[in-house]
Amino acid sequence: MAYVTSNRAASESLAARFAALRTDAVEAYRNWRVYRNTLNELNELSAREMADLGINPSMVRRIALEAAYGKNA
């Protein structure tokens, strides 16, 4: 039969897990905001401005994903 002899270690571990979860959530939100801002800015460009930049309208989503999550996203 297993039992816990100390609650302190378990509570520290749980607190560490919550801290890591919060850190991951904050990072995910920041990446999402970069994605949305990039997507919105690129969608505001006219077809002529996109052509001048060498961007096809079908590339907008991929460019926003790369801006937020990197090349391997």
Side-chain angles (χ1 to χ4, degrees):
M1 176 186 251
Y3 59 93
V4 176
T5 58
S6 172
N7 288 339
R8 185 173 182 208
S11 66
E12 288 176 357
S13 176
L14 184 60
R17 283 191 249 164
F18 278 124
L21 180 64
R22 182 184 182 285
T23 301
D24 290 346
V26 167
E27 182 180 349
Y29 178 74
R30 286 181 181 154
N31 288 341
W32 178 79
R33 288 302 311 155
V34 168
Y35 169 76
R36 289 303 308 165
N37 288 338
T38 304
L39 191 64
N40 290 339
E41 289 178 15
L42 289 174
N43 282 329
E44 290 177 3
L45 296 176
S46 68
R48 173 66 188 247
E49 291 169 327
M50 281 191 193
D52 287 345
L53 293 171
I55 298 173
N56 188 311
S58 66
M59 298 167 60
V60 169
R61 184 171 181 266
R62 181 179 54 86
I63 292 170
L65 284 170
E66 285 180 13
Y69 302 106
K71 206 67 155 155
N72 297 330

